[in-house]
Amino acid sequence: MQSVGTKDTGPEVAVRRLLHGLGYRYRLHRRDLPGSPDIVFPGRRKVIFVHGCYWHGHGCSKGKLPKSRLDYWEPKIARNRQRDAEKEAALRKAGWDVLTLWQCEVKDLEALRPRLLVFLGSPNGQRSS
C-alpha cells in the first residue's frame, strides 16, 4: 500500500490534460493551502481535488470497503473523509472555491468538460485578483 502515490495519479493527470487543452493554466499541489489541493487556480481563487474513490470513501462501486480487516479500514477511510471535509471548510473560510472530482467521474471526460467550464468560467475571460 505504501507504493500507492498521492500525486500525479492517472485521474489527476487526465483532468490536468483536459484543463490544459481547454486553455486553463494552473499550479499543482500548493503546500501552503489546506489539504495541498491537486490543482490550484490562484487568480480565480479556485481549487480542484481529484480523489480516489477507494481512499476517500466515495459511494460508488470502487469506493466500497474491503471485506477483510474492517476494524482497520473503516476508521481509516472515515478519518480520510473527515480530513477532506476539514480541509475543504478551511479553504472555503479562506475565500477559495472548491471542486472535488472523483476517480469514477474522470472516466467520462466529455461529461466532465461542462462541469469544469461552469466551475472555472471562461479560460480566457476576466480573472479576479
Side-chain angles (χ1 to χ4, degrees):
M1 291 293 176
Q2 70 189 84
S3 64
V4 176
T6 59
K7 293 181 182 178
D8 304 324
T9 62
E12 182 185 328
V13 170
V15 171
R16 289 177 0 203
R17 284 187 180 144
L18 175 59
L19 289 166
H20 195 271
L22 290 170
Y24 294 101
R25 300 303 176 256
Y26 45 82
R27 299 286 174 258
L28 301 176
H29 312 291
R30 289 262 310 264
R31 296 188 68 184
D32 61 324
L33 293 175
S36 292
D38 298 314
I39 304 169
V40 181
F41 301 87
R44 299 168 188 265
R45 293 195 59 84
K46 295 180 184 261
V47 300
I48 297 176
F49 287 101
V50 184
H51 286 332
C53 295
Y54 177 77
W55 296 106
H56 295 268
H58 191 225
C60 70
S61 62
K62 288 181 179 278
K64 290 184 180 173
L65 290 172
K67 293 179 180 169
S68 63
R69 296 196 59 208
L70 279 177
D71 57 326
Y72 172 77
W73 288 109
E74 269 184 329
K76 179 169 182 58
I77 300 302
R79 177 63 185 127
N80 287 350
R81 292 181 64 143
Q82 180 185 8
R83 188 181 311 109
D84 292 340
E86 290 167 1
K87 300 304 179 185
E88 182 174 332
L91 283 163
R92 290 188 189 282
K93 186 175 180 181
W96 292 81
D97 288 332
V98 180
L99 175 65
T100 299
L101 301 177
W102 293 95
Q103 172 186 3
C104 61
E105 296 174 327
V106 174
K107 284 186 173 187
D108 187 358
L109 293 176
E110 286 306 311
L112 190 57
R113 180 186 311 254
R115 190 169 165 202
L116 292 171
L117 289 168
V118 167
F119 176 69
L120 294 169
S122 172
N124 301 322
Q126 195 72 302
R127 297 181 183 183
S128 61
S129 301

